[in-house]
Amino acid sequence: MAVVLGASVLLLALLCIAFVPSHGALQVGFYSGKCNGTDVEAAIRSVVAARFGRDSSIVPALLRLHFHDCFVRGCDASILLDGSGTEKTAPPNLSVRGYDLIDQAKTALESRCPGVVSCADIIAVATRDAVVLGGGSQYTYAVQTGRRDGVVSLASEAISNLPGASFSASQAIAAFGAKGLSASDTVLLLGGHTVGVTHCSFIRNRLYNYNGSGKPDPTMDPALVNLLRSRCPQSSTVDNTVFLDHSTPSTVDNGYYKQILAKRGVLKVDQNIAMDGATNATVRSLANGGSSFPSLFGRAMVKMGAIQVLTGAQGQIRKSCRVVKK
Ligand code: HEM
Ligand SMILES: *[C@@H]1O[C@H](CO)[C@@H](O)[C@H](O)[C@H]1NC(C)=O
Ligand SMILES: *[C@@H]1O[C@H](CO)[C@@H](O)[C@H](O)[C@H]1NC(C)=O
Ligand SMILES: *[C@@H]1O[C@H](CO)[C@@H](O)[C@H](O)[C@H]1NC(C)=O
Ligand SMILES: CC(=O)N[C@H]1CO[C@H](CO)[C@@H](O)[C@@H]1O
């Protein structure tokens, strides 16, 4: 009996050690008191707010930048590194934007506390701020910080880790599952497509020659087919852009889910999650229960923001977000 009791006390003690947030874990407010009296998150927020005032497309830009960072080698700012053959040179990154805003925030912080704030955390904080600007205060979430910056960035890893526009729901679930995210996280995070645009090149097959049929994708509302065809001519050398959410293209809200239920998903993956039995119930409840989306989206963003992070003594804090510190 004593032995069993002793063993369970030991087990309990071990469990406690395992669950006490260690030096290496992400936490909310990691930078408080670490930047010479500067409120790090407030400094980032003011850079994002100033940009949003002139260009609200910073919201989709940062959402996609954060996603592409986290899915390739974890959220380690590897997407920001310049150089031949780095992640940002890979075709899936062709239209990723927002690099200059991250540089601007980094410069502001380096002038106040050099070598303290990681580029990976700037991406995560700035994205949260953008979501709130795009959706309203109910979209706020406590962002975790304490990430460190990586030193490796490979285009080949961007190509192999980022899901494709024509993925099915089950392919998307598998790709997200490989990052520790569930099917409902997949549905929630695809809700990022509530803002922003896609280039016609990603959807031309759905408009003109779906799966070699010579016809549009039958799962797309014919009225949307016509609308998109007018912006995306069949044989055009210009690659225009079209909105991803045709109800409220610049507002972070649950309109995306209502659109895809009405066969108005723009990318194939968007439409497919509304039809697949593994995801359709989640889509329906998010479309109908608008009030639950803000907090659930924030929770999923926190989960995405924790993918394979470097913490503690791992990695480094870059001086310039574009260059590995020697
Ligand atoms: C299966 C998963 C996903 C696929 C296949 C996918 C695919 C795409 C594609 C093809 C585009 C258009 C890019 C362009 O033409 O410039 C796009 C745009 C976008 N994606 Fe995704 N995406 C996925 C998940 C996500 C997630 C998880 C987020 C964020 C939480 C996200 C946020 C965005 C945003 C905001 C845009 C618009 C970018 C802009 O307007 O600049 N996507 N996505
Ligand atoms: C505070 O500012 C001084 C002078 O700019 C700088 O040398 C120092 O590293 C800063 N402290 C921190 C914690 O960044
Ligand atoms: C695409 O076409 C092939 C061959 O005609 C067919 O076997 C397949 O089921 C089609 N796929 C879809 C998604 O329509
Ligand atoms: C989801 O799809 C399955 C079949 O694929 C269907 O039986 C079910 O009724 C759908 N559920 C909802 C909530 O749409
Ligand atoms: C910002 C950036 O570096 N974009 C690159 C994305 O990838 C293509 C090639 O696939 C480059 O041409 C772009 O410059």
Side-chain angles (χ1 to χ4, degrees):
M1 183 65 192
V3 174
V4 174
L5 194 66
S8 30
V9 167
L10 182 66
L11 186 66
L12 199 65
L14 285 174
L15 282 173
C16 286
I17 291 166
F19 286 112
V20 165
S22 71
H23 183 62
L26 292 183
Q27 56 184 261
V28 173
F30 177 81
Y31 293 110
S32 72
K34 291 192 176 131
C35 185
N36 270 337
T38 292
D39 180 334
V40 168
E41 291 190 25
I44 297 170
R45 184 162 60 242
S46 76
V47 171
V48 179
R51 177 66 63 90
F52 180 79
R54 326 192 274 285
D55 177 10
S56 62
S57 83
I58 193 63
V59 180
L62 289 173
L63 267 167
R64 185 155 180 254
L65 174 68
H66 192 27
F67 164 53
H68 281 213
D69 183 35
C70 292
F71 265 59
V72 187
R73 262 185 190 266
C75 317
D76 68 343
S78 52
I79 193 172
L80 302 180
L81 291 172
D82 284 342
S84 65
T86 61
E87 285 171 31
K88 64 164 61 155
T89 71
N93 285 330
L94 191 69
S95 49
V96 171
R97 304 175 295 120
Y99 298 112
D100 58 324
L101 179 133
I102 304 298
D103 289 339
Q104 205 185 326
K106 178 66 168 171
T107 302
L109 289 167
E110 286 297 295
S111 75
R112 292 164 199 167
C113 52
V116 172
V117 184
S118 70
C119 300
D121 280 338
I122 294 173
I123 298 174
V125 173
T127 301
R128 187 273 313 271
D129 297 340
V131 167
V132 174
L133 288 162
S137 58
Q138 73 274 28
Y139 278 90
T140 202
Y141 56 93
V143 68
Q144 295 188 320
T145 42
R147 295 170 190 78
R148 310 259 304 170
D149 297 325
V151 299
V152 175
S153 178
L154 299 169
S156 58
E157 293 185 342
I159 293 163
S160 60
N161 283 274
L162 289 165
S166 297
F167 269 28
S168 64
S170 56
Q171 287 174 310
I173 291 169
F176 280 57
K179 305 294 171 187
L181 299 167
S182 66
S184 74
D185 295 329
T186 308
V187 172
L188 284 163
L189 290 166
L190 269 165
H193 290 173
T194 176
V195 286
V197 296
T198 178
H199 286 83
C200 294
S201 46
F202 289 111
I203 58 165
R204 210 169 255 117
N205 62 342
R206 295 194 74 203
L207 303 181
Y208 297 100
N209 188 17
Y210 181 68
N211 195 23
S213 65
K215 298 200 181 94
D217 185 338
T219 66
M220 187 187 282
D221 170 13
L224 183 64
V225 171
N226 285 335
L227 178 73
L228 296 178
R229 279 181 166 187
S230 70
R231 282 281 298 165
C232 300
Q234 184 160 22
S235 50
S236 172
T237 48
V238 246
D239 200 4
N240 285 335
T241 57
V242 294
F243 293 132
L244 287 167
D245 171 358
H246 282 265
S247 59
T248 48
S250 314
T251 308
V252 174
D253 62 11
N254 70 335
Y256 163 83
Y257 298 104
K258 296 180 187 172
Q259 288 286 296
I260 63 179
L261 278 185
K263 301 176 75 172
R264 295 172 64 83
V266 173
L267 302 177
K268 182 184 161 187
V269 68
D270 296 324
Q271 193 53 60
N272 212 239
I273 60 164
M275 302 185 317
D276 193 287
T279 45
N280 62 349
T282 309
V283 168
R284 196 167 291 278
S285 84
L286 291 169
N288 296 337
S291 57
S292 63
F293 180 59
S295 63
L296 293 174
F297 184 65
R299 213 187 298 169
M301 289 294 287
V302 169
K303 240 173 129 176
M304 185 177 85
I307 296 172
Q308 292 171 276
V309 289
L310 302 172
T311 57
Q314 298 170 315
Q316 60 173 220
I317 305 292
R318 289 180 208 146
K319 239 193 224 327
S320 155
C321 288
R322 295 174 180 270
V323 191
V324 169
K325 193 177 70 177
K326 289 285 180 301

